[in-house]
Amino acid sequence: MNLAFKPIEKEDIEGLNFPAEEVLADSQEIAHRKQELENAMALGNTEHVKIAIFFEDDKDLWVTNTTVWAVTPVHIVLKKGVTIPINRIYRIM
């Protein structure tokens, strides 16, 4: 599957609407995503490393390049308290 993700600034994420459905179908992919997000948080807090986050709202596919400050059981937290539901994230790089 080759998906086309459009760039979005993290400040514009707050205006998006996120459905409750999971975007990944495979439990191994879901577990891998969780581990990658934990690693991204560690890098964000210690090295301030920015990563690309590929995700989907109710209308489109997006990518943003930013630092992950926190990972909760449900969301990732970006700078200025912007959040993205984990179940809407395809991958990070």
Side-chain angles (χ1 to χ4, degrees):
M1 175 186 334
N2 192 5
L3 304 174
F5 291 84
K6 299 190 305 190
I8 187 170
E9 296 297 322
K10 73 174 174 302
E11 294 81 10
D12 296 328
I13 293 171
E14 287 182 307
L16 301 179
N17 183 38
F18 294 102
E21 294 82 24
E22 171 63 62
V23 295
L24 299 178
D26 183 90
S27 61
Q28 288 181 329
E29 289 178 332
I30 293 169
H32 180 73
R33 174 184 61 197
K34 182 70 171 168
Q35 183 59 50
E36 290 293 313
L37 290 171
E38 295 286 342
N39 292 341
M41 179 184 64
L43 286 172
N45 285 304
T46 59
E47 306 292 328
H48 305 289
V49 172
K50 290 186 177 185
I51 59 156
I53 304 166
F54 297 84
F55 64 97
E56 183 176 358
D57 69 351
D58 62 341
K59 296 184 180 125
D60 233 323
L61 299 168
W62 302 101
V63 60
T64 191
N65 206 9
T66 190
T67 304
V68 175
W69 291 109
V71 178
T72 76
V74 180
H75 293 88
I76 61 169
V77 181
L78 312 176
K79 205 171 196 177
K80 297 186 179 177
V82 174
T83 63
I84 300 173
I86 292 173
N87 67 331
R88 303 306 296 174
I89 299 172
Y90 283 95
R91 68 181 186 274
I92 63 168
M93 296 175 80

